[in-house]
């Protein structure tokens, strides 16, 4: 069976020619309610100010600005939001692909069929094929069983078909000390069902920071596994390939939280800098996003250069750098320490 390499709406959006002032992705959080209490959760579970009608209006604005994909990455379980179906149907009527991150516990056969017929690419949280490990990470007994059942319902609805490497369903996990020894089992499981398996490194903040002693895995070990198994990240857009690039989402998308605050990255809360969609429209706010992004990159690189200057003056024989492929905005930058070879 052909193995999937991309998710529809996430990795196949053409960003080669995006006019100034346009976007290709919009990430709008649903209300923050969630049925799990994951050890690494980085979001604040709150309903926020945005209503269903606000979200539908944002999708209209985004579509007019060139957005092709509506994404929901966080803040809770989107299927618990009362407006979930209405918003998905609205995105479909606008001609958009919806990419929904979900824990899968609420995917009934009826909902799976609804999503399939409304151009949704679901990404289901699955941390292990071992129920005990998965449920320990989510802190809810039975959550793994429910996620597997949800995936089965998706496959019954027609998900799992691969066309030129592109599939419409994925599994999104996180590398932790609890599951990393059996990551290959998850990858094999997904490959055999036409599901793209993706995994991300732990962001050491909020709950994850408090539980880092139980979860944290060294980057070198993760890199070896990613390389050996060919695992991609669950982030939006192209894979990172240099120290300067971030991702397609940061370059061509916007994230909007439950209160309407806007940023360019799911890992950054920049609403105070960028603006709020309830106070300003998307078209006006895009320019300020671009400015904030450039300032953030410049300041981060400036700090690295200052540190390297200090190391050189002290003649330590070492320098630091971002690993190639590391997003400049991710929590826990995993800076590399390099030995300076004297010529």
């Amino acid at each position: 069976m052909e193995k999937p390499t991309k998710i529809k709406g996430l990795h196949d959006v053409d960003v080669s020619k995006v006019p100034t002032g346009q976007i290709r992705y919009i990430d709008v959080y649903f209300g923050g309610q969630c049925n799990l209490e994951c050890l690494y959760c980085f979001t604040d579970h709150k309903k926020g100010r945005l209503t269903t009608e606000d979200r539908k209006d944002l999708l209209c604005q985004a579509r007019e600005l060139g957005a092709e994909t509506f994404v929901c990455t966080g803040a809770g379980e989107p299927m618990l939001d009362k407006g979930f179906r209405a918003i998905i149907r609205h995105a479909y009527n606008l001609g958009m692909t919806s990419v929904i991150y979900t824990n899968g516990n609420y995917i009934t056969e009826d909902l799976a069929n609804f999503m399939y017929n409304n151009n949704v690419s679901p990404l289901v949280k699955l941390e292990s094929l071992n129920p005990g490990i998965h449920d320990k990470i989510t802190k809810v007994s039975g959550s793994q069983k429910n996620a597997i059942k949800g995936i089965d319902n998706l496959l019954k609805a027609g998900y799992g078909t691969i066309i030129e490497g592109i599939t419409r369903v994925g599994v999104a996990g996180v590398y932790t000390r609890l599951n990393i020894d059996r990551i290959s089992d998850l990858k094999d499981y997904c490959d055999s069902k036409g599901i793209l398996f993706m995994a991300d490194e732990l962001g050491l903040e909020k709950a994850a920071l408090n539980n880092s002693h139980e979860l944290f895995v060294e980057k070198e070990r993760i890199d070896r596994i990613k390389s050996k198994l060919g695992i991609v990240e669950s982030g939006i857009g192209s894979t990172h390939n240099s120290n300067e690039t971030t991702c397609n989402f940061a370059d061509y998308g916007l994230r909007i939280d439950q209160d309407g605050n806007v940023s360019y990255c799911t890992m950054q809360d920049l609403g105070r800098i960028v603006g709020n969609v309830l106070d300003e429209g998307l078209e006006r706010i895009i320019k300020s996003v671009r400015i904030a992004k450039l300032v953030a990159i410049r300041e981060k690189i400036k700090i690295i250069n200052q540190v390297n200057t200090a190391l050189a003056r002290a003649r330590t024989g070492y320098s630091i750098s971002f690993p190639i492929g590391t997003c400049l905005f991710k929590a826990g930058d995993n800076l590399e320490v390099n030995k300076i070879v004297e010529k």
Side-chain angles (χ1 to χ4, degrees):
M1 182 178 182
E2 181 185 2
K3 295 181 181 180
T5 58
K6 297 179 180 180
I7 291 289
K8 184 178 185 294
L10 195 69
H11 304 125
D12 63 333
V13 176
D14 184 7
V15 294
S16 59
K17 297 179 181 179
V18 181
T20 301
Q22 289 208 348
I23 55 176
R24 288 293 178 263
Y25 306 89
I26 184 168
D27 181 344
V28 185
Y29 281 9
F30 282 90
Q33 186 178 359
C34 191
N35 60 306
L36 305 183
E37 301 177 17
C38 297
L39 291 174
Y40 54 69
C41 185
F42 64 90
T43 62
D44 294 318
H45 296 307
K46 59 182 181 179
K47 182 178 180 180
R49 297 167 60 195
L50 292 184
T51 66
T52 295
E53 292 306 312
D54 288 334
R55 293 182 174 93
K56 290 167 67 174
D57 180 60
L58 287 171
L59 291 181
C60 288
Q61 293 183 54
R63 189 70 178 119
E64 291 180 359
L65 295 169
E68 300 174 15
T69 298
F70 158 52
V71 186
C72 181
T73 56
E77 171 50 51
M79 294 178 188
L80 288 174
D81 191 291
K82 292 181 179 179
F84 177 75
R85 291 201 185 210
I87 293 168
I88 293 299
R89 190 179 293 111
H90 187 66
Y92 174 75
N93 290 335
L94 290 172
M96 301 175 74
T97 299
S98 295
V99 177
I100 305 298
Y101 288 73
T102 171
N103 60 46
N105 283 209
Y106 298 94
I107 303 178
T108 61
E109 289 189 20
D110 175 67
L111 187 52
N113 286 320
F114 169 81
M115 289 193 291
Y116 187 84
N117 293 328
N118 284 272
N119 203 24
V120 176
S121 295
L123 305 182
V124 181
K125 171 199 291 293
L126 188 61
E127 303 296 352
S128 177
L129 294 182
N130 183 319
I133 293 175
H134 178 95
D135 293 359
K136 184 174 183 178
I137 293 173
T138 64
K139 297 175 66 176
V140 173
S141 178
S143 60
Q144 193 263 9
K145 179 181 178 181
N146 291 333
I148 293 291
K149 185 176 181 179
I151 291 172
D152 289 342
N153 286 335
L154 291 171
L155 297 176
K156 288 179 184 177
Y159 285 98
T161 301
I162 305 167
I163 301 176
E164 296 182 353
I166 299 175
T167 183
R168 291 180 57 189
V169 59
V171 157
V174 174
Y175 299 103
T176 71
R177 188 176 297 176
L178 298 173
N179 67 359
I180 195 163
D181 289 333
R182 305 301 294 270
I183 284 289
S184 60
D185 294 343
L186 269 177
K187 179 71 164 53
D188 292 342
Y189 164 82
C190 290
D191 286 346
S192 70
K193 295 181 179 294
I195 300 169
L196 179 61
F197 177 68
M198 300 172 287
D200 291 309
E201 297 175 35
L202 195 68
L204 293 179
E205 54 187 332
K206 297 183 179 177
L209 182 60
N210 295 333
N211 297 303
S212 61
H213 62 285
E214 189 173 10
L215 301 176
F216 183 73
V217 179
E218 295 76 10
K219 178 175 173 57
E220 293 76 13
R221 187 179 180 191
I222 293 174
D223 286 344
R224 288 195 299 270
I225 291 174
K226 287 170 63 175
S227 177
K228 180 180 178 180
L229 300 179
I231 299 173
V232 299
E233 295 184 1
S234 67
I236 301 168
S238 60
T239 55
H240 310 154
N241 55 21
S242 76
N243 286 337
E244 287 74 37
T245 59
T246 52
C247 64
N248 279 344
F249 182 78
D251 292 332
Y252 306 110
L254 293 174
R255 188 207 71 166
I256 301 170
D257 70 12
Q258 308 100 296
D259 288 317
N261 294 320
V262 180
S263 67
Y264 51 78
C265 176
T266 58
M267 299 301 293
Q268 296 292 306
D269 294 315
L270 299 175
R272 294 178 183 174
I273 299 174
V274 176
N276 187 289
V277 292
L278 297 179
D279 302 323
E280 307 172 72
L282 283 184
E283 186 172 12
R284 181 178 177 183
I285 219 164
I286 285 178
K287 288 184 179 180
S288 58
V289 173
R290 297 285 181 254
I291 293 172
K293 176 176 182 289
L294 293 173
V295 169
I297 292 174
R298 183 185 66 206
E299 292 303 311
K300 211 156 197 180
I301 292 176
K302 183 191 297 184
I303 292 172
I304 295 298
N305 290 338
Q306 290 172 346
V307 172
N308 280 330
T309 297
L311 291 172
R313 287 176 177 171
R315 301 194 178 189
T316 63
Y318 292 91
S319 67
I320 58 175
S321 66
F322 292 111
I324 291 178
T326 295
C327 173
L328 295 180
F329 307 109
K330 265 194 171 180
D333 289 315
N334 296 311
L335 293 175
E336 289 183 340
V337 179
N338 309 302
K339 176 69 175 176
I340 298 175
V341 180
E342 296 183 5
K343 298 181 179 179

